[in-house]
Amino acid sequence: MRSGALRAALLLLLLVAAAGCRSALPPDGEQKPRHRIIAYVRGRAEIDRIGAHKLTHVNYAFAKVSARGEVVLDDPDAPAHLARLQALKAKNPRLRILLSVGGWGADHFSDAALDEASRERFAASAIELVRRYALDGIDLDWEYPGQPGPGIGFRAEDRENFTRMLETMRRHLDRLGVERERIGDDSYLLTIASSGGVYFEHTEMDRVHEYLDWINVMTYDFAGSWSPTTGHHAALYGDPGAPESRASAAAFVRQHLAAGIPAIKLVLGVPFYGRAWTGVRRENHGLYQPYESPGSGDYSYSSLRRDYIDRNGFRRLWDPVARAPYLWNEETATLVSYDDPVSLREKARFIEALGLGGVMYWEHSHDPEERLLDVLYDNLK
């Protein structure tokens, strides 16, 4: 056998070994965390204050896809943010830092996934950033394959091309792992942020999970300014009596499981922010009612604690069906949907009961005091 062919054969064997060792125990024999606790972190967060010991992974948001189909850091401060995130490993050596690519309104995914050449270019550019910033993996947040968005190009072929893009990324990351001797539990990671409902009509979720370490299911934003009525934007369960509440965390998880995705590969998403509506019809304490206008922007949990929860005319109420809290101001006819410590404990029990892989949250700057993170850590550590 010629030396080039021999090297290729050895590389193939090592790649197979890497794929087969992903569930292996850490080399030092320490016990792995029981669940993943994953923070999405943007540059506006107070990175140096993050309680790194409470987390298993950080997804830094966001890198973008350029018009040439390459993964780029368009924020000039991103390198400094990544350096500060890497410094958190001094507090928690097991912490893994991933670069999240995309986000709402991010374009050029469809072009980058279009053919073999474009997919190779996309993957090579992502690997270059992994090398340059000593990252532990890539998280793809394509919102959404095959669907229109704010100025987002899409194609019917996105359904199959998304799978091919992930296959290409997996191959590049595994090759880098062999080169750097990072296999088994230390392998480079590939994850995605997924949705439910029509998302499954435009993706091959029964196939893509084979290339992924896990899937961050965005089980929030079920209701908002786009909705005809108010509702829970992060309900754990839907209300059979309210057709407006068909979407729920449990329904999205069931959809993923029905596609054959192992429960351990599913990470439940929770929001650290609320959504509001004003001019709400004053029936049923404003829940599932028409409204005049949505509230302005997101309401961080820290601002909700400071100014809204049982303050300034707002009363905290609990929906025993959805297992979700909400705020109602009768005088101003304003409703706010959010997650709180009680609902997060319910979701932690749901994760335990179904054997899910853990929890992720969007995003850290909404809870700088880490009150919600503490609930997740205490219940899932």
Side-chain angles (χ1 to χ4, degrees):
M1 184 181 292
R2 298 171 65 180
S3 60
L6 178 59
R7 283 196 298 272
L10 289 173
L11 176 61
L12 178 61
L13 287 172
L14 287 169
L15 286 171
V16 171
C21 291
R22 285 198 189 129
S23 61
L25 287 173
D28 56 10
E30 293 181 17
Q31 186 175 2
K32 292 165 60 178
R34 195 174 66 191
H35 291 96
R36 305 177 190 102
I37 302 179
I38 304 166
Y40 275 88
V41 174
R42 305 185 76 177
R44 65 191 182 190
E46 297 179 73
I47 293 175
D48 302 329
R49 292 184 54 199
I50 292 176
H53 68 283
K54 305 171 190 175
L55 301 172
T56 59
H57 302 81
V58 167
N59 289 348
Y60 176 69
F62 284 108
K64 300 298 182 183
V65 184
S66 73
R68 294 192 69 250
E70 296 178 336
V71 181
V72 296
L73 291 173
D74 60 350
D75 181 352
D77 294 325
H81 298 155
L82 289 169
R84 291 163 65 192
L85 286 171
Q86 292 288 2
L88 294 177
K89 292 185 178 183
K91 304 175 184 177
N92 178 7
R94 288 195 176 280
L95 183 66
R96 297 293 177 257
I97 312 297
L98 290 82
L99 180 63
S100 189
V101 183
W104 179 244
D107 198 8
H108 307 304
F109 272 106
S110 185
D111 293 338
L114 185 57
D115 55 39
E116 183 177 356
S118 63
R119 292 189 290 269
E120 288 288 334
R121 183 165 57 249
F122 176 89
S125 64
I127 294 299
E128 172 56 29
L129 293 177
V130 171
R131 289 176 179 273
R132 185 183 308 170
Y133 297 107
L135 300 169
D136 299 295
I138 295 290
D139 172 64
L140 294 187
D141 189 358
W142 181 352
E143 301 184 22
Y144 297 100
Q147 298 183 65
I152 295 172
F154 67 100
R155 298 174 171 86
E157 300 93 321
D158 290 346
R159 185 173 189 271
E160 295 78 18
N161 289 341
F162 184 40
T163 306
R164 296 181 183 119
M165 172 182 270
L166 295 173
E167 181 182 15
T168 302
M169 279 297 309
R170 180 78 271 165
R171 176 163 36 83
H172 278 255
L173 285 167
D174 284 350
R175 183 178 292 125
L176 180 64
V178 170
E179 175 190 321
R180 298 255 176 115
E181 297 184 352
R182 290 188 58 167
I183 62 174
D185 203 63
D186 196 35
S187 295
Y188 287 101
L189 301 167
L190 179 61
T191 69
I192 65 169
S194 76
S195 186
V198 296
Y199 179 84
F200 274 64
E201 299 174 15
H202 300 281
T203 55
E204 299 178 307
M205 293 303 289
D206 58 328
R207 294 186 57 203
V208 300
H209 72 90
E210 298 172 8
Y211 305 110
L212 301 172
D213 290 275
W214 65 82
I215 297 169
N216 300 302
V217 188
M218 293 185 287
T219 42
Y220 42 76
D221 287 345
F222 299 139
S225 60
W226 54 90
S227 309
T229 70
T230 64
H232 296 294
H233 98 90
L236 178 53
Y237 299 105
D239 186 341
E244 305 90 341
S245 71
R246 294 190 187 105
S248 69
F252 273 27
V253 168
R254 284 195 299 268
Q255 195 172 10
H256 283 72
L257 293 173
I261 303 171
I264 197 66
K265 279 192 172 185
L266 298 180
V267 171
L268 190 76
V270 299
F272 280 10
Y273 63 93
R275 293 200 175 276
W277 299 264
T278 60
V280 179
R281 188 167 67 188
R282 290 178 173 84
E283 294 181 18
N284 194 33
H285 297 116
L287 193 57
Y288 305 129
Q289 301 302 314
Y291 59 93
E292 294 177 1
S293 63
S296 55
D298 300 337
Y299 291 70
S300 70
Y301 182 70
S302 61
S303 69
L304 291 174
R305 282 192 68 256
R306 183 182 63 245
D307 299 323
Y308 295 90
I309 300 175
D310 291 330
R311 297 172 185 268
N312 298 318
F314 285 89
R315 185 160 59 104
R316 178 193 180 276
L317 300 171
W318 176 257
D319 184 336
V321 177
R323 311 305 292 170
Y326 61 104
L327 303 177
W328 174 241
N329 188 316
E330 180 74 21
E331 181 179 351
T332 62
T334 301
L335 184 141
V336 182
S337 170
Y338 69 111
D339 257 337
D340 70 359
V342 177
S343 62
L344 290 186
R345 280 191 286 270
E346 294 274 354
K347 290 180 177 180
R349 285 192 282 269
F350 178 81
I351 290 167
E352 290 273 16
L354 271 69
L356 304 184
V359 66
M360 69 84 171
Y361 62 88
W362 180 270
E363 52 94 11
H364 194 83
S365 69
H366 290 314
D367 179 34
E369 297 88 6
E370 301 186 354
R371 294 176 184 273
L372 296 182
L373 175 56
D374 284 343
V375 174
L376 298 176
Y377 178 69
D378 290 342
N379 287 272
L380 295 172
K381 62 186 176 183

